[in-house]
Amino acid sequence: MRITVCLTDNRPDAWIEGLRAALPEAMVENWRPGAPQADHAVVWAPPQEFIDDQPALRGIFNIGAGVDALLKLKLPPEAQVVRLDDAGMSVQMAEYVCHALIRHFREFDIYEADARESRWSFRKPREREDFAVGVMGLGVLGERVAKAVAQFEFPVNGWSRSPKAIGGLRCFAGEAEFDDFLGASRVLVNLLPLTEATRGILNRENLSRLNGGEPGGYLINVGRGAHLVEADLIPLLDSGRLAGATLDVFEVEPLPAEHPFWRHPKITVTPHGSARTVREASIAQIAGKIRAVELGEPIAGVVGRERGY
Amino acid sequence: MRITVCLTDNRPDAWIEGLRAALPEAMVENWRPGAPQADHAVVWAPPQEFIDDQPALRGIFNIGAGVDALLKLKLPPEAQVVRLDDAGMSVQMAEYVCHALIRHFREFDIYEADARESRWSFRKPREREDFAVGVMGLGVLGERVAKAVAQFEFPVNGWSRSPKAIGGLRCFAGEAEFDDFLGASRVLVNLLPLTEATRGILNRENLSRLNGGEPGGYLINVGRGAHLVEADLIPLLDSGRLAGATLDVFEVEPLPAEHPFWRHPKITVTPHGSARTVREASIAQIAGKIRAVELGEPIAGVVGRERGY
């Protein structure tokens, strides 16, 4: 069995070494144009040239949870596209979202500003019943985030394409229940996959529905930059419709230095680090899946190309 | 049955109204010198004069978890002193500690400083296995905090006076195991009651033991200001022995404007708000306990005066 590795923005050496150790029966090599035809590929944002050069791939394993960049390519129709599920990412996502949520709810950013002025201040505590959290996307990451948030006794709503039942969450599904989900949520956490159906879903109309249509909604975007209509956000913040936003992903990354998000007082920007790929856990997961595929066993994380995730 | 209310720093009206509604059989009044003798008192930091004026109290109910201020008074020897347990405080404490912990571990403070410079930065993620969290004090609040932290997959140690076994925690007990507990912990969370045995426990010697005696320890103090030897902290930070501290409590509160903690770059100061008393939950709890005491039933949260909590 031959495995080829094609990573953008990641040094391949440690991945190749780890895959060789995990799959000693395989030939694992970094891809170069004209390399021998491989059975499986381990990829991050490969160029179309790579795909065209490897038409007989049976498995294409993405080293991230989101496959939107990969699905933009023209892929061999028979190849199974597989995303990471969890592999150490869900705990990071739960951390990121809980930190942003608690920071906003408890107003720790304002207390820190007071502290810079040596000011011992008192702010009336807010009621957590008023801060229902809505999680969009209830895959492995979304479910973990929702459960972490529920532990802090916030009301939690979940929204997914197909109906789900998850303990402790009020679950909404599909377009028909989307507006009700938004209205019932004050803090919106986006963990959707980026597909044609979800592109631009964080727009003025939808964001205005948060919190029963009242001011005070808050956005945490850890999905993809293209979920958000960036031009809609600042007017919603400046009019007070939204209270703030924590954003980890952007239409253009790195976020250009002149972008107004950097310095807007109600926006917290982080550089797409909410949940990084953990190499060892990812190698173990991908090696296990490759072995399962070779044995004809079912695996998790197979992407539905039509669906887009 | 007569109940008297004596609160410092809190308006008594809503408490009196709530207690009257919860205990319609009782006479509930605000204390004034020379008031009729009451059976039970609901107090926060009452003056000695109050205690001297009410020598026949059978129950003294503190509207907080820490009774150190109350036990400084000369109390009627027969009166049962009762602290709040939880009553909405533990979730706040879990929030506060998780926010401070995640912020430090994920270096979100540094990312925010980078963002103020419009800088898209990358910092090598740290390993959570290297960030064992040690929780001192395993009462209602400590246990809740430890479990909230464990959910984010940090190794968690707990230390208490008497041995405890709590799932998911490595428990240490008593003086004999204190140094081992400190050495095994990198982030120290103080939730101890303030007693003669714990005053000054956060001192140079003990804080230097964190993280196996290596630099990089971090302190989160949500107990009492007098647990920390304040003069020891800044040299530990400036020498790099400790990486930082988040402090909610201080020897003198409000923290004086000229205190160096305010502006030290490695110290985050909050104004004693990690867990505020939630009035409705506290009234319900105290009313329930008063009724139980009247029926001769056992109640939780009875303070051992010798023990000091």
Side-chain angles (χ1 to χ4, degrees):
Chain A
M1 174 177 46
R2 190 178 281 275
I3 298 172
T4 188
V5 173
C6 182
L7 308 179
T8 315
D9 290 343
N10 269 285
R11 295 209 194 133
D13 297 6
W15 287 87
I16 291 169
E17 200 177 303
L19 286 163
R20 283 180 182 155
L23 294 165
E25 69 275 28
M27 285 272 281
V28 184
E29 281 168 324
N30 199 31
W31 176 72
R32 275 184 188 74
Q37 176 63 48
D39 302 289
H40 301 287
V42 175
V43 304
W44 182 250
Q48 182 67 48
E49 182 195 3
F50 165 77
I51 299 294
D52 295 343
D53 191 51
Q54 295 280 326
L57 285 174
R58 288 184 285 126
I60 303 176
F61 293 82
N62 191 57
I63 66 166
V67 291
D68 44 294
L70 189 55
L71 295 188
K72 280 184 195 156
L73 304 180
K74 193 171 174 330
L75 301 174
E78 298 304 315
Q80 225 174 19
V81 176
V82 185
R83 57 182 150 78
L84 281 186
D85 30 48
D86 201 336
M89 282 187 292
S90 74
V91 64
Q92 298 176 64
M93 205 55 106
E95 267 176 355
Y96 184 97
V97 170
C98 288
H99 174 270
L101 168 66
I102 295 170
R103 192 163 178 77
H104 174 60
F105 171 63
R106 295 286 296 265
E107 303 184 280
F108 286 132
D109 50 344
I110 298 176
Y111 280 109
E112 283 176 23
D114 282 346
R116 284 192 287 272
E117 314 281 322
S118 308
R119 191 184 305 133
W120 184 272
S121 57
F122 175 85
R123 300 180 68 80
K124 192 173 184 305
R126 287 119 63 105
E127 303 285 336
R128 66 192 68 237
E129 295 69 32
D130 298 336
F131 278 78
V133 177
V135 178
M136 298 168 76
L138 295 175
V140 174
L141 300 181
E143 184 172 342
R144 173 73 179 255
V145 165
K147 287 182 170 169
V149 165
Q151 185 206 221
F152 295 110
E153 302 178 18
F154 293 94
V156 186
N157 303 313
W159 183 73
S160 53
R161 200 182 56 109
S162 51
K164 302 217 175 184
I166 299 175
L169 268 67
R170 185 173 162 206
C171 287
F172 299 76
E175 271 188 48
E177 294 174 15
F178 187 49
D179 289 355
D180 287 345
F181 162 78
L182 292 171
S185 304
R186 180 159 178 178
V187 177
L188 187 65
V189 180
N190 175 45
L191 277 154
L192 289 170
L194 180 63
T195 68
E196 283 318 305
T198 66
R199 182 178 300 274
I201 197 168
L202 304 173
N203 55 37
R204 189 176 57 178
E205 190 185 348
N206 287 333
L207 292 173
S208 296
R209 293 189 203 280
L210 288 177
N211 201 28
E214 297 295 313
Y218 193 90
L219 172 64
I220 300 174
N221 190 16
V222 283
R224 287 286 186 251
H227 283 125
L228 174 65
V229 179
E230 291 193 349
D232 284 359
L233 183 60
I234 288 181
L236 289 166
L237 293 167
D238 288 346
S239 69
R241 194 80 191 169
L242 291 187
T246 291
L247 308 175
D248 189 48
V249 289
F250 306 91
E251 268 175 29
V252 176
E253 295 180 7
L255 187 66
E258 67 277 11
H259 198 289
F261 284 178
W262 282 116
R263 288 172 175 276
H264 194 282
K266 295 183 178 172
I267 298 178
T268 300
V269 167
T270 55
H272 201 147
S274 52
R276 294 186 191 278
T277 298
V278 180
R279 195 174 54 225
E280 290 89 57
S282 303
I283 288 171
Q285 181 172 108
I286 290 170
K289 287 182 179 179
I290 287 177
R291 203 166 264 147
V293 166
E294 292 292 319
L295 294 170
E297 292 167 0
I299 59 171
V302 175
V303 171
R305 299 228 202 142
E306 285 291 303
R307 204 173 55 174
Y309 64 94
Chain B
M1 176 177 46
R2 189 177 282 272
I3 298 172
T4 188
V5 172
C6 182
L7 308 180
T8 315
D9 291 342
N10 270 286
R11 296 212 192 130
D13 297 5
W15 287 86
I16 291 167
E17 200 176 304
L19 286 162
R20 281 180 182 155
L23 294 166
E25 70 274 31
M27 284 275 281
V28 184
E29 279 168 325
N30 200 30
W31 176 71
R32 278 186 184 74
Q37 177 63 47
D39 303 287
H40 301 286
V42 175
V43 304
W44 182 249
Q48 182 67 48
E49 183 195 3
F50 165 76
I51 299 294
D52 295 343
D53 191 52
Q54 295 282 324
L57 285 174
R58 289 184 285 125
I60 303 176
F61 294 83
N62 191 56
I63 66 165
V67 291
D68 43 294
L70 188 55
L71 294 188
K72 282 185 193 154
L73 303 180
K74 195 173 174 326
L75 301 174
E78 299 304 314
Q80 224 174 19
V81 177
V82 184
R83 56 182 151 76
L84 281 187
D85 32 46
D86 202 337
M89 282 187 293
S90 74
V91 64
Q92 298 176 64
M93 205 54 105
E95 267 176 355
Y96 184 97
V97 170
C98 287
H99 174 268
L101 168 66
I102 295 171
R103 192 163 180 75
H104 174 60
F105 171 62
R106 295 286 295 265
E107 303 185 280
F108 286 133
D109 50 344
I110 298 175
Y111 279 110
E112 284 175 23
D114 281 346
R116 284 193 288 272
E117 313 283 321
S118 308
R119 192 184 304 132
W120 185 273
S121 58
F122 175 85
R123 299 180 68 80
K124 193 172 183 302
R126 287 117 64 105
E127 304 284 337
R128 66 192 67 238
E129 295 70 30
D130 297 336
F131 278 77
V133 177
V135 178
M136 298 168 77
L138 296 176
V140 174
L141 300 181
E143 184 171 341
R144 173 74 180 254
V145 165
K147 286 182 170 169
V149 166
Q151 185 206 222
F152 296 110
E153 302 179 17
F154 293 94
V156 186
N157 304 312
W159 183 72
S160 53
R161 201 181 56 108
S162 51
K164 302 219 175 180
I166 299 175
L169 269 68
R170 185 173 163 206
C171 287
F172 299 76
E175 272 188 48
E177 294 174 13
F178 188 47
D179 289 355
D180 288 345
F181 162 77
L182 292 171
S185 304
R186 179 159 177 177
V187 178
L188 186 65
V189 180
N190 176 45
L191 276 155
L192 289 169
L194 180 63
T195 68
E196 282 319 304
T198 66
R199 182 178 299 273
I201 196 168
L202 303 173
N203 55 37
R204 190 176 53 179
E205 190 185 349
N206 288 332
L207 293 172
S208 296
R209 292 189 204 279
L210 289 177
N211 201 28
E214 297 295 314
Y218 192 91
L219 172 65
I220 300 174
N221 190 16
V222 283
R224 287 285 186 252
H227 283 124
L228 174 65
V229 179
E230 290 192 350
D232 284 0
L233 182 61
I234 289 182
L236 289 166
L237 294 167
D238 288 346
S239 69
R241 195 77 192 170
L242 290 187
T246 291
L247 308 175
D248 189 48
V249 289
F250 306 90
E251 268 173 33
V252 176
E253 296 180 5
L255 187 66
E258 66 278 11
H259 198 290
F261 283 177
W262 281 117
R263 287 171 176 275
H264 195 283
K266 294 183 179 173
I267 298 178
T268 300
V269 167
T270 56
H272 202 148
S274 51
R276 295 186 191 278
T277 297
V278 180
R279 194 174 54 225
E280 290 87 53
S282 303
I283 287 171
Q285 181 173 106
I286 291 170
K289 287 182 179 179
I290 288 176
R291 203 166 267 148
V293 165
E294 292 292 319
L295 293 170
E297 292 168 1
I299 59 171
V302 175
V303 170
R305 298 229 202 144
E306 286 290 302
R307 202 173 57 175
Y309 63 94

